[in-house]
Amino acid sequence: MLRQSRAPAVVRPAVILTRPAAQSARFATQLRARLGEGFDILTAPLMAPEFPATRLPDGPFSALILTSGTALEALPHLTGALPRRAYCVGHRTAEAARALGLDAVSADGDAEALLALLLDQRPEGGLLHLHGEAPRGDLVARLMAAGVAAEGLCVYRQRALPLTQAATARLAQPGPVAFPVFSPQTAEQLVIALAS
């Protein structure tokens, strides 16, 4: 009797999203809308934000600078008087700021667009940049060098997480796997996670 050979199981390509859960869910929806259903999407956050209780500096400040929606999550952990005006890096951060009652202006771009907006408008009074442990772009220093009063305040840090069991199991299977990476910090954490 002849033995029939069994065709190998087809493993769909996978995309493993390493951003925090909320951002990964949003990006997964965008991927499916653009690329369809021909691949698997797994969420495996490599970092989770932590928000230590933080006292605001004395100021006075006329406006906040927000380069990340994560900084908005820190607001309940801050003590002190917050200004109501906020200059935001992009539309999504501005929308989230408005939902919290802030008068938000969007630069509709990246940190460079935000810097250009602030240098163009030159708001009166000090600016307070709420950021994480590793702010990029030296925004405060560049504003100060241009004569705009600004101060930075670290309001959150990212705690490293290992790859999930589901992600590790998928990596053990044949077939292509993509890891979209959105920051140098995530790239470093991904290298560590894949090596362990």
Side-chain angles (χ1 to χ4, degrees):
M1 180 173 197
L2 293 172
R3 297 174 64 186
Q4 293 183 343
S5 62
R6 183 178 294 173
V10 176
V11 178
R12 294 180 356 149
V15 178
I16 299 178
L17 304 179
T18 57
R19 300 184 85 186
Q23 289 119 326
S24 284
R26 187 171 56 241
F27 189 55
T29 300
Q30 294 169 342
L31 278 178
R32 289 204 191 287
R34 182 162 278 192
L35 303 177
E37 299 287 332
F39 55 94
D40 296 324
I41 297 178
L42 291 85
T43 300
L46 290 178
M47 291 182 285
E50 293 180 334
F51 306 100
T54 304
R55 176 140 187 85
L56 293 172
D58 292 334
F61 300 105
S62 64
L64 298 173
I65 301 172
L66 300 170
T67 51
S68 160
T70 306
L72 287 167
E73 297 176 51
L75 295 188
H77 306 276
L78 304 179
T79 55
L82 282 171
R84 303 314 304 161
R85 184 91 161 154
Y87 289 91
C88 304
V89 69
H91 179 69
R92 188 176 294 120
T93 302
E95 276 186 355
R98 287 185 199 109
L100 294 173
L102 297 173
D103 174 21
V105 177
S106 172
D108 290 325
D110 55 13
E112 293 301 315
L114 181 56
L115 176 66
L117 174 69
L118 291 167
L119 291 177
D120 180 60
Q121 293 196 1
R122 294 190 169 271
E124 296 273 331
L127 302 175
L128 180 61
H129 181 201
L130 303 180
H131 57 76
E133 279 183 307
R136 290 179 289 158
D138 293 325
L139 195 57
V140 167
R142 292 165 74 188
L143 286 167
M144 296 285 286
V148 177
E151 188 172 338
L153 180 66
C154 178
V155 295
Y156 68 93
R157 58 180 166 259
Q158 298 285 6
R159 178 173 47 91
L161 300 173
L163 277 174
T164 62
Q165 289 183 342
T168 302
R170 177 57 185 88
L171 287 170
Q173 297 176 5
V177 176
F179 284 95
V181 176
F182 292 84
S183 73
Q185 190 178 8
T186 303
E188 289 172 14
Q189 184 58 27
L190 179 59
V191 169
I192 292 167
L194 291 174
S196 57

